[in-house]
Amino acid sequence: MKFLFSLATALLAQTAAANLQNALQAVLNIQSQQQSQSPPPNILLVITDDQDLELDSIDYTPRITRHIRDKGTFYRNHFVTTALCCPSRVSLWTGRQAHNTNVTDVRPPYGGYPKFVDRGFNDNFLPVWLQQAGYDTYYTGKLFNAHTVENYHSPYVNGFNGSDFLLDPYTYSYLNSTYQRNQDPPVSYEGHHTTDVIAEKAMGFLEDALQGERPFFVTVAPAAPHSDVSPQNIKAGNPVMTAPIPLKRHEHLFQDVKVPRTKHFNPDHPSGVSWVRELPQQNETVVDYNDYFYRSRLRALQGVDEMVESLVTRLEESDKLDNTYIIYTSDNGFHIGQHRLPPGKTCGFEEDIRVPLFIRGPGIPEGSTEDSVTTHIDLAPTIFELAGIPPRSDFDGTAIPVTPEFEGTRHEHVTVEYWGKAVLEGDYGKIGPGGTPSVPNNTYKSVRLLGKGYNLYYSVWCNNEHELYDLETDPYQLHNLYPTGRSPVDDEPRILGRDLAQVINRLDALLLVLKSCQGVTCIKPWDVLQPADPVVSLWEALDEDYDLFYGEQPRVSYDWCDAGYVIEAEGPQTPLTSRYGLSWDVWV
Ligand SMILES: *[C@@H]1O[C@H](CO)[C@@H](O)[C@H](O)[C@H]1NC(C)=O
Ligand SMILES: *[C@@H]1O[C@H](CO)[C@@H](O)[C@H](O)[C@H]1NC(C)=O
Ligand SMILES: *[C@@H]1O[C@H](CO)[C@@H](O)[C@H](O)[C@H]1NC(C)=O
Ligand SMILES: *[C@@H]1O[C@H](CO)[C@@H](O)[C@H](O)[C@H]1NC(C)=O
Ligand SMILES: *[C@@H]1O[C@H](CO)[C@@H](O)[C@H](O)[C@H]1NC(C)=O
């Protein structure tokens, strides 16, 4: 582009086409005028750690409600694509599914900061792209797991004009955190609360950003309300995670608050598949502990609530608030006691995959809600759109509806993927094999679909167990509808007026596409299956004309359970495609 431009100017000079050059100059003047009229917006991104949507945490942060949610849009159906910190964050920062980043775990060989670097993302992620587009970028808090006091300089994180990272093994040590600023050595904050520390750092970077001439992108990623992990509790890569520690001034709050007693809270009958189904019902001691754990999370969030208020107030005092988007979200959700689970994430249930997302800023209606499905891989494309940068072709996500003038693609699905161990937290979490706080073979893929009149979750596990929940009739995911070998019964439920077998055929084919999708195929998966006879939704794909076609598709399955994205373990990769139109019955 630059080359063409210089070539063009050279040619113009050579031919002395002075009037043409004047015309070109006029165009450039108009462009720069337009730019000065509406400078690119600033962006403030707050990412909490492990904050749920489903357990009502957002009802306990009044300042965040007042300053962000009520001033903008609440995305009610926002999902993560992998319910674990590091993979989810890498997906957020690159706009790509974990099967395309191949950062699928919190530590090497399958994940963590070293894997992020090995995969080349240190030169190729959101802050780098935003700097290239003219932004000043700042970051404080947790970036990735396995970003440590040992490896923080090999190499340093790219892409930030100013950074101050929480480092392992002190990332979740609420009272003895370690931060590492720019290219300085790590500093221990023993005796200070991590949220007070980050609040001060965040205000400092916001100040730097406000002083600058260029638009800014500031990210603040506090450890709260993640569990506390003190270094002495990290043994052989299996850390014992205990309840988060609130600031002293919040310790007394919410004394009567308990985990919501929904139908799936410590239910009388087992639910889920695989290891979840084997969990014993929790006794009173464990339930009391879980309530305490829940309160500790809400208390730990209060510091974040106060920090957000300070940041927004400072923006208000500057003249920049009107041209700043503020985005609030979390890296993954959290469960406590649902399906008899100890505290934790890593599952595909609603609690784990739904997270808060609020956005306020220029053009966004106050107090609005958005119901279409949005995901974490949509956030980088959305920030590109807000900043006026053309989308990258390697984005698996797509910009979400931000202003009422939105003209982009809406989608009804999210692809959820997981590889490796389930992590169990809290004092009663040591119930994995050999009394460990983790369970192997928590490897699964799923598709979550929300359309007009349907609300479904379909998953395939690495031991080839399946789940199908109709959340329209079973919002708590207690009744797995997937037939398990028994012969069909007369009163078998139907979905959208079709037999379960037909619905499962469609969902499985969709998952077959999504589990290895790239770029636009992640957004428009049905186009891969039916390019000559396009449909845009499950509803349309359920047409009887397509029954034979979907009945012939290879099924998603695994050959074994692996801890990482080992393609040989992952069964069929390619669906049949109706290249010549379904009516001719010619499939490739
Ligand atoms: C931020 O970093 C970019 C890329 O290195 C640089 O071009 C820009 O001048 C920096 N901004 C400030 C305020 O130093
Ligand atoms: C706090 O962290 C520092 C390292 O940053 C460590 O040397 C020290 O022992 C820790 N203190 C406690 C009480 O764990
Ligand atoms: C409740 O269950 C926990 C975890 O299994 C166990 O350690 C504890 O002893 C039990 N308490 C009672 C009163 O049974
Ligand atoms: C996990 O999966 C592997 C490979 O499929 C299998 O050999 C192993 O027995 C499984 N472990 C458990 C605890 O289920
Ligand atoms: C993902 O990374 C792991 C660990 O390096 C490797 O074994 C695997 O082959 C990679 N997967 C793909 C699809 O490249």
Side-chain angles (χ1 to χ4, degrees):
M1 190 66 191
K2 204 166 176 181
F3 167 74
L4 277 180
F5 186 75
S6 1
L7 189 68
T9 23
L11 281 175
L12 287 173
Q14 253 180 23
T15 53
N19 42 354
L20 253 183
Q21 197 150 22
N22 287 345
L24 185 65
Q25 194 54 51
V27 169
L28 289 175
N29 287 345
I30 291 170
Q31 266 181 0
S32 74
Q33 254 173 27
Q34 277 174 344
Q35 271 161 13
S36 65
Q37 272 161 17
S38 56
N42 309 303
I43 296 161
L44 169 64
L45 171 62
V46 179
I47 309 175
T48 51
D49 203 316
D50 285 1
Q51 186 181 354
D52 63 274
L53 177 70
E54 291 294 281
L55 308 187
D56 302 338
S57 65
I58 62 170
D59 293 347
Y60 295 86
T61 50
R63 297 170 186 86
I64 292 166
T65 300
R66 183 159 6 108
H67 295 296
I68 313 183
R69 179 176 167 181
D70 288 354
K71 286 275 162 48
T73 299
F74 171 25
Y75 293 82
R76 283 199 287 221
N77 292 309
H78 186 74
F79 296 89
V80 303
T81 48
T82 300
L84 184 66
C85 311
C86 183
S88 181
R89 286 170 188 245
V90 174
S91 286
L92 188 158
W93 289 114
T94 58
R96 303 172 75 176
Q97 288 279 158
H99 69 250
N100 288 330
T101 66
N102 201 10
V103 179
T104 59
D105 198 358
V106 289
R107 62 180 76 88
Y110 299 116
Y113 179 60
K115 178 80 176 184
F116 170 85
V117 170
D118 285 351
R119 297 281 291 131
F121 292 125
N122 198 26
D123 303 310
N124 224 351
F125 74 131
L126 187 62
V128 173
W129 302 325
L130 287 175
Q131 273 189 337
Q132 286 164 356
Y135 275 74
D136 288 337
T137 55
Y138 301 90
Y139 194 103
T140 182
K142 167 176 149 191
L143 184 64
F144 300 127
N145 307 82
H147 183 210
T148 72
V149 292
E150 312 276 326
N151 71 12
Y152 68 92
H153 47 35
S154 52
Y156 288 105
V157 175
N158 282 336
F160 294 107
N161 290 76
S163 63
D164 209 333
F165 299 115
L166 271 166
L167 292 183
D168 278 354
Y170 307 101
T171 304
Y172 309 115
S173 189
Y174 276 74
L175 302 180
N176 191 20
S177 54
T178 292
Y179 287 77
Q180 185 270 316
R181 189 176 179 84
N182 299 330
Q183 308 220 332
D184 300 345
V187 173
S188 165
Y189 288 84
E190 187 167 353
H192 298 267
H193 192 280
T194 186
T195 309
D196 273 348
V197 177
I198 197 174
E200 195 179 325
K201 291 180 185 299
M203 290 300 282
F205 280 139
L206 182 60
E207 210 52 53
D208 293 347
L210 288 168
Q211 302 309 322
E213 314 251 287
R214 311 193 324 157
F216 61 77
F217 175 65
V218 175
T219 304
V220 184
H226 192 284
S227 298
D228 182 77
V229 183
S230 296
Q232 61 269 22
N233 277 337
I234 303 179
K235 286 178 198 113
N238 259 334
V240 176
M241 306 208 201
T242 51
I245 301 170
L247 285 152
K248 274 261 173 289
R249 60 182 179 273
H250 302 134
E251 274 173 352
H252 65 287
L253 295 170
F254 314 129
Q255 294 194 13
D256 301 324
V257 173
K258 293 179 172 179
V259 183
R261 295 301 197 258
T262 46
K263 275 191 190 161
H264 60 334
F265 179 78
N266 199 25
D268 289 343
H269 301 286
S271 47
V273 299
S274 189
W275 63 272
V276 178
R277 211 175 170 75
E278 321 258 290
L279 291 169
Q281 198 170 25
Q282 296 165 341
N283 65 25
E284 216 178 301
T285 315
V286 177
V287 170
D288 285 348
Y289 174 80
N290 285 345
D291 285 331
Y292 151 77
F293 198 101
Y294 180 71
R295 286 190 291 273
S296 304
R297 284 167 50 83
L298 299 179
R299 291 167 180 158
L301 267 174
Q302 300 309 303
V304 178
D305 199 40
E306 292 177 358
M307 176 185 73
V308 165
E309 176 153 77
S310 308
L311 290 166
V312 178
T313 304
R314 180 65 194 93
L315 275 168
E316 236 158 15
E317 288 162 8
S318 75
D319 54 355
K320 304 252 170 104
L321 182 62
D322 287 348
N323 196 33
T324 302
Y325 288 99
I326 306 178
I327 305 174
Y328 182 92
T329 192
S330 170
D331 55 359
N332 51 255
F334 208 75
H335 56 247
I336 305 176
Q338 296 76 29
H339 308 278
R340 306 180 174 181
L341 287 159
K345 53 266 182 183
T346 72
C347 295
F349 293 121
E350 294 288 270
E351 290 73 31
D352 297 34
I353 63 175
R354 281 182 183 265
V355 291
L357 175 66
F358 311 131
I359 309 182
R360 71 168 282 182
I364 302 183
E366 287 195 11
S368 51
T369 51
E370 173 63 47
D371 287 331
S372 46
V373 172
T374 59
T375 77
H376 262 20
I377 57 169
D378 294 338
L379 291 182
T382 303
I383 290 170
F384 264 47
E385 169 115 346
L386 296 176
I389 313 168
R392 294 171 58 88
S393 60
D394 61 9
F395 279 155
D396 299 331
T398 184
I400 68 177
V402 172
T403 61
E405 295 80 39
F406 177 76
E407 284 172 354
T409 313
R410 284 184 158 82
H411 50 90
E412 61 175 21
H413 67 276
V414 49
T415 314
V416 180
E417 320 177 279
Y418 200 90
W419 294 265
K421 285 193 263 190
V423 184
L424 314 176
E425 304 182 23
D427 286 357
Y428 296 98
K430 284 177 262 173
I431 51 174
T436 55
S438 67
V439 182
N441 298 350
N442 186 53
T443 297
Y444 59 83
K445 300 179 187 300
S446 53
V447 58
R448 180 78 178 86
L449 271 181
L450 274 151
K452 267 213 166 64
Y454 52 102
N455 189 351
L456 303 168
Y457 178 84
Y458 175 71
S459 76
V460 181
W461 284 64
C462 64
N463 60 5
N464 294 314
E465 282 180 276
H466 290 70
E467 285 166 297
L468 172 61
Y469 301 111
D470 180 355
L471 286 94
E472 200 84 359
T473 55
D474 176 26
Y476 298 113
Q477 301 175 296
L478 288 166
H479 307 290
N480 183 6
L481 298 178
Y482 193 87
T484 46
R486 58 185 164 74
S487 48
V489 283
D490 286 346
D491 61 351
E492 191 184 71
R494 292 160 72 86
I495 292 173
L496 289 169
R498 302 297 322 269
D499 292 343
L500 282 190
Q502 293 302 338
V503 178
I504 290 168
N505 285 350
R506 300 330 191 257
L507 291 173
D508 199 271
L510 181 63
L511 187 56
L512 183 56
V513 173
L514 291 173
K515 80 188 180 91
S516 56
C517 68
Q518 283 191 327
V520 74
T521 63
C522 296
I523 301 155
K524 299 183 170 177
W526 299 107
D527 286 6
V528 176
L529 295 157
Q530 301 189 209
D533 203 352
V535 298
V536 297
S537 63
L538 172 70
W539 163 246
E540 289 180 20
L542 275 171
D543 192 305
E544 284 178 20
D545 284 356
Y546 309 139
D547 285 359
L548 193 55
F549 173 66
Y550 283 103
E552 296 288 314
Q553 290 287 349
R555 287 311 189 96
V556 174
S557 67
Y558 289 82
D559 294 310
W560 69 87
C561 286
D562 216 298
Y565 182 31
V566 175
I567 221 154
E568 297 73 24
E570 302 209 352
Q573 295 293 321
T574 323
L576 298 173
T577 288
S578 71
R579 196 167 293 168
Y580 306 107
L582 290 170
S583 27
W584 284 276
D585 287 356
V586 184
W587 307 324
V588 182

